Amino acid sequence: MAAIPLPNLPVHDLQGRDFLDFADFSAAELQQLLDLSIELKQKHKAGVPYRPLAGKTLGMIFEKASTRTRVSFEVAMNQLGGQAMFLSGRDTQIGRGEPLPDTARVLSRYLDGVMIRTFGHESVIEFAHYATVPVINGLTDLHHPCQVLADVLTLWEKKGKVQGLTVTYIGDGNNMANSWLIAAPKFGINLRIATPQGYECDPQVVEQAQKLAAEHGTELLLTHDPVAAVTDTDMIYTDVWASMGQEEEQKLREQHFAAYQVNQELVAHAKPDYLFMHCLPAHRGEEVTAEVIDGPNSVIFDEAENRLHVQKAIIVATMA
């Protein structure tokens, strides 16, 4: 079967761009990425080969371990005709203190793009500043845009639209919540976030989100009341209470987050056809009960699969 040409979408405007944060993209550009994700997934399911990255290599720097990020990016590059190279801090000079600007400039001479999964968001910004190839944020402590784009694709698949829907995030005001804050208004999604006191989202991200919500005419609710947040919502989202690097806070967080568990009592306030999502890995019995995450409203594995397809779109849009 012959390879298909680039889908007829104006993603050429994104060539050479970094993908670090939703704030760097307009609503129209994010919609282009979503449309490309849909088209590439449809072609993949139909068995139509599309290999625009033949001869190209994506370097993948991991300072935080991952299952979904590593496998989905490697498979994405393989399906697109290129290859991916795993680079951990233990295997490179980064782990021995080489300055990020030097690493970025050297790797740009070898690679066609770099994906980074790390702790500080400022490290990704610094790396991208000095790199001369596209840089993709695979996760930082502040943002996780690849995951949220996969979530939006899943919402669109299950509901037939995203504009005008209400998404509720319950739990820690972490990178997932921060990325939802910026993405939701740009996709026309109403967003509610319920966090315990002291675990709210980043104030600067909240300020950005409030301005975007006013600009795009969407609703934004930040509350400490999980029941108010989930009432009549279309989707409920949660994440682990203690993210990687916060393990020493686990016991304390279990006390503070106990009232924010997504369980049958809480989801009863949502719409009957609500969707449940989780970025995984999940701790059943902590942030969500098994009855909810394994129940009929849960779409966590479709959501996880969609990481592959949105990342293919990001790679194609920036590197092809």
Side-chain angles (χ1 to χ4, degrees):
M1 190 177 294
I4 61 172
L6 183 70
N8 187 26
L9 296 168
V11 292
H12 60 270
D13 295 339
L14 307 182
Q15 289 293 295
R17 295 267 296 275
D18 299 318
F19 186 77
L20 309 182
D21 174 2
F22 287 126
D24 299 330
F25 294 83
S26 68
E29 289 171 335
L30 291 178
Q31 185 62 49
Q32 290 170 17
L33 284 173
L34 181 62
D35 292 344
L36 181 57
S37 303
I38 294 166
E39 179 149 354
L40 291 179
K41 183 174 182 178
Q42 290 171 343
K43 298 296 186 185
H44 174 73
K45 295 296 185 181
V48 179
Y50 177 55
R51 303 173 68 81
L53 295 184
K56 295 196 175 185
T57 303
L58 174 72
M60 305 189 304
I61 299 174
F62 282 87
E63 293 187 312
K64 276 190 174 185
S66 172
T67 298
R68 279 150 292 275
T69 299
R70 178 174 179 179
V71 175
S72 58
F73 268 105
E74 285 198 20
V75 172
M77 282 299 293
N78 180 269
Q79 291 182 358
L80 293 169
Q83 62 180 338
M85 179 180 295
F86 176 80
L87 302 166
S88 75
R90 296 186 303 272
D91 303 323
T92 66
Q93 297 297 337
I94 295 175
R96 299 180 181 178
E98 181 175 39
L100 277 179
D102 291 356
T103 302
R105 286 181 282 211
V106 169
L107 291 184
S108 295
R109 303 292 183 103
Y110 304 142
L111 303 168
D112 302 286
V114 177
M115 185 282 297
I116 306 179
R117 181 179 169 93
T118 188
F119 292 90
H121 191 71
E122 64 279 359
S123 296
V124 174
I125 293 175
E126 182 181 15
F127 191 98
H129 176 76
Y130 289 97
T132 56
V133 295
V135 176
I136 299 170
N137 175 8
L139 174 143
T140 66
D141 288 342
L142 188 64
H143 288 290
H144 196 356
C146 290
Q147 178 64 58
V148 171
L149 190 58
D151 302 336
V152 174
L153 172 58
T154 310
L155 183 62
W156 176 86
E157 288 178 332
K158 302 301 180 182
K159 296 293 186 180
K161 65 174 184 177
V162 297
Q163 190 168 14
L165 297 182
T166 298
V167 168
T168 297
Y169 178 92
I170 303 290
D172 188 21
N174 60 14
N175 50 7
M176 290 304 312
N178 289 335
S179 283
W180 267 110
L181 278 168
I182 304 303
K186 293 189 176 188
F187 282 108
I189 296 171
N190 302 312
L191 182 65
R192 303 170 185 171
I193 295 181
T195 62
Q197 290 188 357
Y199 296 92
E200 295 87 355
C201 299
D202 182 271
Q204 291 183 327
V205 177
V206 169
E207 184 179 356
Q208 283 182 290
Q210 290 169 334
K211 293 177 181 178
L212 287 168
E215 177 185 345
H216 293 278
T218 60
E219 298 175 6
L220 174 60
L221 172 66
L222 303 175
T223 180
H224 299 301
D225 183 350
V227 173
V230 303
T231 298
D232 294 325
T233 193
D234 296 291
M235 189 183 100
I236 298 175
Y237 203 110
T238 194
D239 193 6
V240 295
W241 291 342
S243 298
M244 192 177 298
Q246 299 171 334
E247 290 82 1
E248 73 282 356
E249 303 175 23
Q250 178 68 33
K251 294 301 180 183
L252 180 63
R253 284 173 173 258
E254 286 176 6
Q255 299 174 24
H256 292 171
F257 283 80
Y260 293 81
Q261 183 186 69
V262 179
N263 51 37
Q264 294 285 41
E265 182 181 356
L266 182 62
V267 302
H269 297 279
K271 291 181 179 178
D273 63 345
Y274 83 96
L275 300 176
F276 174 76
M277 293 194 200
H278 192 302
C279 55
L280 300 180
H283 297 160
R284 288 166 171 78
E286 291 186 16
E287 73 272 8
V288 59
T289 60
E291 291 80 5
V292 171
I293 196 170
D294 297 321
N297 297 78
S298 176
V299 293
I300 59 169
F301 297 115
D302 293 324
E303 174 191 6
E305 177 191 344
N306 280 336
R307 285 288 301 277
L308 170 65
H309 304 295
V310 301
Q311 286 160 189
K312 286 170 73 173
I314 294 166
I315 292 168
V316 168
T318 59
M319 289 175 55

